[in-house]
Amino acid sequence: MCGIVGYIGTQKASPILINGLIRLEYRGYDSAGISTIEKYGISIMKDKGRVKNLYNINGIEQLEGNIGIAHTRWATHGKPSKENSHPHMDNSKTFSVVHNGIIENYNELKKFLSDNGYHFYSQTDTEIIPNLVHYYYSKDNNNDDLKFLRAFKNACNKLIGSFAIEIICKDYPNNMLVVRKDSPLVIGKGENENYISSDIPAILSFTRNFYLLNDFEFVLLSRTDAKFYDKNLEPINKNTQTIEWNTASAEKEGFEDYMLKEIFEQPNAIRETIGAKFNENSKCEFDELNFSKDFLSDFNKIFIIGCGTAMHAGLAGKNAIEKLCKINTEVDIASEFRYRAPLVNEHTLCIFISQSGETADTIAALKLCKEKGAKTIAISNVIGSSITREADYSIYTHAGPEIAVASTKAYTSQVVLLVILAIYFAEILEINTNELSLLKKEILKLPKKIEDTLDLSSRIRDFSKTVYQEKDIFFLGRGIDETVAKEGSLKLKEISYIHSESYAAGELKHGPIALIENGVTVVGIMTDPKLVEKTISNLQEVITRGAKTFVITNQQVDNSMFDFIVYIPETSPFISPILSIIPLQLFSYYISKEKGLDVDKPRNLAKSVTVE
Ligand code: G6P
């Protein structure tokens, strides 16, 4: 959701900026723009629509400047239009700014600036920022090296909301300033050049050395240097961190789309996430945790919180923690949790799941739990992301960069990590020890079983061709399979735009069955031996009413009554979602392809939802 790129160095900035924006396209956007410092002053080129439209703007090829800022906008305040696109300048055309996030007090600041003679030409909250900087700049009579920084700091200290901001100034042609608060931004360090980006993958081909910023840290960038200051402009020391992801991991590597590539990367993502946390004969260990029995025994309640797919992974975590550790566990959607006065205290453990680590609602829920005295664990795929810096403890999935908006390998990696976490807790609490060693053996077999499941790809593609024109598709399951039904249904709506619902199979008779008529497709997931027969009965009820059925199972069932069935490898129900979701990921993918849609960048969606 909105993307920021910046460059300050010795090369021509504009191609680097546009290339960076293309790599951030997956975040979701509706307009794009760049601004560079040229010999004649600041240039801005922007428009609504795709990043590649920037190449059609007259004069873009002639830009020579080697300092610049760039932005993809996902409209919040004001419709997508050229005027509302970033960058935005102040009235005197001294400053140019790009901004991610939302300035909540912008009306008040706009009024203040209007009263002081400033005019506004867009409907955005962002346009107040360059003007507010100009306001403080024009009041400062001390023309030293830090005047630009002082004005920027004074303006930012007035902002309420979330922001990641880059700003350039025509009077300081060798500098750029950035700051962040509750919105992602990283700085990549090169040789005599610095890169700025919302996300690591966009600049991974230039550098692996990154500075990760905390809230309200101001950065004064030159070509050779990055100086850091706190909100009072006291200097701060900061070291770079090396990111292990390789450049190829952010490329398509011969696959038609990122999503297909990421589906096929799951054996490795799971292997990497299991890592060295245990082997068949050893106990689970998390280098980052080191919990004791006393520490864990103190919790009488666990919350698992996330949004979208991450929340669905949390449901598999709840199943494992409650059954293996006997601790009452609740899963909630972050945007609901944060406003429902949750009963959280110092005896509550709160686990936050976020692939990106930047989802605004998840971060807000985390802050709320900390205020209430709970202990917090973040699960993220991105080292140094915001939730990992807020939480008391952080553990990581090692799925590698996930670029497609629809999450696949991050989900399965989150599920396996949560189950391993549950085993780790149970071992410390000394519960269920026999069951745990069997489960660990099953987890170690997962990469191979995922590979076998991926072999179903061409059969699923052929079946998808028969249903891609459907208007509604329903997903049913019981127990752990219901959690997969939810995720399968979400995947389908995200990328195929087919209306889809998921239901606990037992709920069918309490309403949803009224929607079943001749030809409607119903997907049934049945992997829990204890519940298979019950789900079959529910499927029979829809078949009787004319439904077409697609079944995913690892049990020997009479297949004659179903229209299409795929058998996946048998495994423990704790980790079955990791296998049973794969046919559904492929199903959604192939339907989307058959419909000719943009699989990686579905309409209206953003990979990283950094506003609430
Ligand atoms: C967006 C993405 C989803 C993702 C959700 C949570 O809606 O499109 O794929 O599941 O955000 O993202 P997070 O980064 O917090 O896991």
Side-chain angles (χ1 to χ4, degrees):
M1 198 172 255
C2 296
I4 283 184
V5 180
Y7 176 75
I8 175 163
T10 50
Q11 306 179 55
K12 211 166 135 167
S14 54
I16 295 173
L17 297 172
I18 296 176
N19 191 5
L21 290 184
I22 288 171
R23 286 167 182 275
L24 285 179
E25 279 188 309
Y26 69 95
R27 292 175 64 88
Y29 73 102
D30 43 55
S31 41
I34 68 170
S35 181
T36 53
I37 303 186
E38 300 296 318
K39 289 200 182 75
Y40 52 83
I42 289 179
S43 134
I44 289 194
M45 307 233 168
K46 60 184 186 177
D47 210 345
K48 70 173 181 183
R50 290 296 188 198
V51 174
K52 63 176 185 326
N53 296 352
L54 292 174
Y55 287 118
N56 303 332
I57 299 179
N58 243 343
I60 202 144
E61 303 286 352
Q62 280 76 53
L63 295 175
E64 293 293 340
N66 41 37
I67 296 184
I69 58 180
H71 190 261
T72 45
R73 172 174 188 256
W74 190 91
T76 55
H77 295 66
K79 62 179 196 287
S81 69
K82 184 173 174 184
E83 293 66 40
N84 289 334
S85 309
H86 299 211
H88 289 281
M89 291 186 106
D90 65 307
N91 292 173
S92 74
K93 304 209 179 312
T94 308
F95 302 99
S96 179
V97 161
V98 296
H99 159 231
N100 283 358
I102 291 183
I103 307 302
E104 288 165 10
N105 58 338
Y106 90 103
N107 273 327
E108 181 193 315
L109 293 170
K110 197 168 184 175
K111 176 162 187 323
F112 168 80
L113 289 165
S114 301
D115 292 347
N116 280 279
Y118 289 85
H119 298 284
F120 295 91
Y121 303 95
S122 77
Q123 299 151 309
T124 65
D125 50 344
T126 302
E127 203 185 355
I128 58 134
I129 301 172
N131 286 302
L132 196 59
V133 177
H134 178 267
Y135 172 83
Y136 287 109
Y137 191 75
S138 62
K139 298 253 173 290
D140 189 339
N141 295 323
N142 189 354
N143 287 320
D144 63 1
D145 286 353
L146 296 182
K147 177 174 172 178
F148 175 26
L149 177 61
R150 271 196 307 276
F152 184 50
K153 185 268 298 184
N154 287 333
C156 290
N157 284 349
K158 292 277 178 240
L159 305 179
I160 297 176
S162 60
F163 46 85
I165 305 171
E166 283 180 330
I167 181 167
I168 48 178
C169 171
K170 80 171 170 29
D171 301 340
Y172 288 79
N174 297 312
N175 289 129
M176 178 189 301
L177 298 176
V178 304
V179 72
R180 58 155 283 174
K181 188 201 158 249
D182 295 340
S183 199
L185 201 71
V186 294
I187 294 172
K189 186 176 161 29
E191 277 287 306
N192 294 326
E193 54 189 5
N194 285 301
Y195 298 85
I196 300 95
S197 176
S198 304
D199 265 356
I200 291 168
I203 49 176
L204 201 56
S205 57
F206 303 117
T207 180
R208 300 261 194 92
N209 299 319
F210 288 86
Y211 293 107
L212 305 175
L213 298 184
N214 290 321
D215 281 355
F216 265 115
E217 287 179 348
F218 290 88
V219 194
L220 170 59
L221 292 160
S222 63
R223 290 175 177 82
T224 51
D225 210 3
K227 292 197 170 102
F228 299 87
Y229 300 87
D230 70 10
K231 65 191 300 185
N232 302 314
L233 294 193
E234 292 298 326
I236 309 171
N237 274 334
K238 215 175 239 302
N239 294 323
T240 54
Q241 290 195 21
T242 306
I243 301 294
E244 299 302 334
W245 293 347
N246 61 37
T247 316
S249 61
E251 307 291 338
K252 284 192 195 153
E253 290 181 300
F255 282 88
E256 239 178 278
D257 312 270
Y258 282 110
M259 182 175 175
L260 191 62
K261 177 190 172 224
E262 288 160 8
I263 291 172
F264 275 84
E265 280 175 340
Q266 290 179 106
N268 207 36
I270 297 297
R271 202 174 283 122
E272 293 291 325
T273 300
I274 299 169
K277 293 187 182 67
F278 66 91
N279 62 41
E280 268 189 42
N281 308 311
S282 73
K283 287 197 166 176
C284 279
E285 276 182 36
F286 280 85
D287 294 340
E288 309 90 337
L289 299 182
N290 203 13
F291 290 169
S292 67
K293 190 171 181 180
D294 279 354
F295 177 80
L296 277 181
S297 308
D298 198 37
F299 299 118
N300 52 27
K301 175 94 181 235
I302 295 182
F303 276 106
I304 306 181
I305 294 146
C307 299
T309 292
M311 188 277 285
H312 291 160
L315 296 169
K318 167 189 160 83
N319 178 61
I321 294 173
E322 284 196 336
K323 291 193 174 131
L324 297 176
C325 314
K326 312 288 179 219
I327 307 176
N328 192 345
T329 305
E330 239 186 85
V331 178
D332 209 344
I333 299 164
S335 57
E336 287 297 311
F337 177 87
R338 60 183 289 200
Y339 293 116
R340 73 168 169 91
L343 298 177
V344 170
N345 58 33
E346 60 279 17
H347 301 293
T348 321
L349 177 64
C350 298
I351 303 173
F352 296 86
I353 312 173
S354 174
Q355 185 281 130
S356 63
E358 303 295 348
T359 301
D361 282 315
T362 311
I363 296 170
L366 166 50
K367 288 183 176 167
L368 175 74
C369 291
K370 279 180 79 180
E371 274 165 30
K372 288 173 172 272
K375 284 277 175 293
T376 55
I377 302 180
I379 295 185
S380 180
N381 195 38
V382 181
I383 294 182
S385 57
S386 298
I387 63 161
T388 67
R389 275 173 297 122
E390 285 288 338
D392 298 314
Y393 306 93
S394 297
I395 56 176
Y396 291 94
T397 50
H398 293 278
E402 191 179 67
I403 309 285
V405 166
S407 183
T408 52
K409 61 178 181 172
Y411 167 77
T412 46
S413 303
Q414 286 159 356
V415 172
V416 82
L417 191 63
L418 282 158
V419 175
I420 298 172
L421 188 68
I423 298 173
Y424 172 72
F425 289 175
E427 283 177 342
I428 294 173
L429 294 166
E430 300 174 77
I431 317 176
N432 280 319
T433 32
N434 288 340
E435 194 173 358
L436 300 181
S437 55
L438 280 177
L439 177 54
K440 284 198 277 192
K441 281 191 188 127
E442 281 303 320
I443 291 176
L444 293 171
K445 288 182 200 156
L446 271 175
K448 169 75 177 71
K449 290 187 180 182
I450 297 172
E451 278 163 18
D452 294 345
T453 311
L454 288 167
D455 288 344
L456 295 166
S457 180
S458 57
R459 281 190 61 217
I460 293 169
R461 185 188 55 214
D462 293 346
F463 176 68
S464 304
K465 287 183 181 161
T466 68
V467 293
Y468 77 98
Q469 284 168 319
E470 298 292 312
K471 294 272 173 289
D472 310 280
I473 296 185
F474 296 93
F475 291 73
L476 300 180
R478 283 170 179 260
I480 193 71
D481 295 325
E482 195 232 334
T483 71
V484 177
K486 283 191 160 72
E487 174 58 10
S489 169
L490 176 66
K491 227 50 352 169
L492 187 72
K493 14 175 133 58
E494 281 180 314
I495 59 169
S496 77
Y497 316 149
I498 293 176
H499 170 251
S500 153
E501 302 287 343
S502 70
Y503 293 106
E507 269 294 289
L508 204 62
K509 289 199 266 302
H510 300 287
I513 202 159
L515 299 171
I516 305 297
E517 54 184 359
N518 219 10
V520 166
T521 300
V522 176
V523 181
I525 305 127
M526 318 190 295
T527 66
D528 187 338
K530 290 199 228 64
L531 298 169
V532 166
E533 289 306 327
K534 306 238 174 264
T535 309
I536 290 180
S537 303
N538 299 129
L539 286 173
Q540 259 160 347
E541 289 157 7
V542 298
I543 291 169
T544 310
R545 286 157 183 85
K548 193 193 299 177
T549 48
F550 165 20
V551 162
I552 295 151
T553 188
N554 56 14
Q555 303 296 303
Q556 289 315 312
V557 297
D558 170 13
N559 59 19
S560 60
M561 72 181 103
F562 306 122
D563 295 279
F564 182 58
I565 185 162
V566 292
Y567 291 99
I568 56 174
E570 223 175 316
T571 190
S572 156
F574 287 113
I575 48 175
S576 66
I578 294 166
L579 301 179
S580 52
I581 194 60
I582 290 172
L584 298 178
Q585 294 169 342
L586 291 164
F587 181 58
S588 307
Y589 172 81
Y590 286 122
I591 288 182
S592 177
K593 288 301 276 185
E594 201 58 33
K595 291 180 85 170
L597 300 173
D598 187 341
V599 177
D600 287 336
K601 298 190 286 288
R603 70 182 179 205
N604 304 339
L605 298 182
K607 180 73 181 158
S608 187
V609 180
T610 49
V611 296
E612 72 171 287

